[in-house]
Amino acid sequence: QVQLQESGGGLVQPGGSLRLSCTASGRSFSRDTMAWFRQAPGKEREFVAAMFRSYGRTYYSDSVKGRFTISRDNAKNTVDLQMNSLKPDDTGVYYCAADSRLILSSIYGAQNYDYWGQGTQVTVSS
């Protein structure tokens, strides 16, 4: 059974940092596109960052570029999201997603991913 499990969310002050981790199980995800999305209350789920297949190239939304870093450890079947200089607008539920068949232009759409974690809450507030 394929599963994705996020961890690492919490409450942090503006300007602070958090590191999210997603552990995949059930099969190897080393060739999948792995991504992070987030969803704020009343808003649609939005793309945050992705690592495209096994090529190692990373992609970010404009709102997090320069502050967030996505990384993966294929040996551990994990993908992390290091979040620095956090802002209140970064608040939301963060989801890990994976898919083995995406083309590059499709990585930004949540509807294109087959596998999802249950999400972890990130709250940025003073």
Side-chain angles (χ1 to χ4, degrees), residues 75-93:
K76 296 181 179 179
N77 237 13
T78 59
V79 59
D80 291 350
L81 185 69
Q82 177 66 42
M83 306 186 295
N84 298 329
S85 302
L86 282 161
K87 306 174 182 179
D89 285 349
D90 295 317
T91 295
V93 179

Side-chain angles (χ1 to χ4, degrees), residues 36-110:
W36 288 93
F37 287 77
R38 67 187 181 189
Q39 189 165 19
K43 295 187 177 181
E44 292 187 353
R45 194 168 297 190
E46 66 171 355
F47 173 82
V48 174
M51 186 167 280
F52 181 58
R53 293 193 181 178
S54 59
Y55 302 124
R57 288 177 290 181
T58 57
Y59 300 85
Y60 299 93
S61 68
D62 288 342
S63 62
V64 307
K65 198 173 296 182
R67 300 187 297 122
F68 290 12
T69 303
I70 186 172
S71 61
R72 70 195 295 171
D73 185 332
N74 289 331
K76 296 181 179 179
N77 237 13
T78 59
V79 59
D80 291 350
L81 185 69
Q82 177 66 42
M83 306 186 295
N84 298 329
S85 302
L86 282 161
K87 306 174 182 179
D89 285 349
D90 295 317
T91 295
V93 179
Y94 282 69
Y95 297 91
C96 175
D99 197 280
S100 63
R101 301 166 298 175
L102 295 180
I103 58 175
L104 184 56
S105 60
S106 300
I107 67 171
Y108 304 98

